Amino acid sequence: MAWYSSNRRSELPPNWAIIRQRVIRRDRGLCQGVLSEGALCGHPGTEVDHIRPGSDHSMGNLQLLCTWCHKRKTQAESRAGRADKPMPKTHIPRDQREAPPSPW
């Protein structure tokens, strides 16, 4: 996650470092990401991730992911979030646009 452009760090609880270490220990330092074939990734984990977005910092909502799995999950959540938003008013489908004025 790009912390320099995010406010997520300010939303973490004061004891985040302790919670983070508990998640790392619980997951034995291994990525809990599930690969397409259903197996766990198992690479060394570096990112403590919220399974469900939001401010639920309980152990049941946290998992350890490697950088690759975390990036993949974040991108999927971002795409899903954008899909829920309506198209900006500046985008008008080509077949619905007014014809430009004739230059002649």
Side-chain angles (χ1 to χ4, degrees):
M1 175 173 240
W3 285 103
Y4 60 87
S5 65
S6 172
N7 67 343
R8 288 288 290 153
R9 186 164 292 201
S10 66
E11 297 173 7
L12 296 174
N15 64 338
W16 177 249
I18 294 168
I19 294 171
R20 185 176 188 283
Q21 287 304 315
R22 286 180 182 159
V23 172
I24 293 169
R25 195 169 34 253
R26 179 198 66 197
D27 294 343
R28 295 183 174 91
L30 300 176
C31 176
Q32 302 300 300
V34 179
L35 303 175
S36 58
E37 63 271 5
L40 285 181
C41 173
H43 280 91
T46 56
E47 314 287 333
V48 173
D49 173 67
H50 289 81
I51 298 168
R52 292 173 308 282
S55 58
D56 176 5
H57 307 297
S58 67
M59 292 296 284
N61 190 43
L62 298 172
Q63 64 183 344
L64 187 62
L65 296 177
C66 66
T67 301
W68 185 83
C69 286
H70 188 257
K71 184 176 180 180
R72 183 180 64 157
K73 180 178 181 277
T74 301
Q75 288 173 343
E77 289 172 346
S78 179
R79 276 193 305 277
R82 286 194 306 270
D84 292 342
K85 295 180 182 173
M87 291 293 279
K89 297 276 185 204
T90 56
H91 176 76
I92 301 171
R94 190 175 294 274
D95 63 328
Q96 295 177 9
R97 295 180 191 171
E98 290 182 31
S102 174
W104 310 113

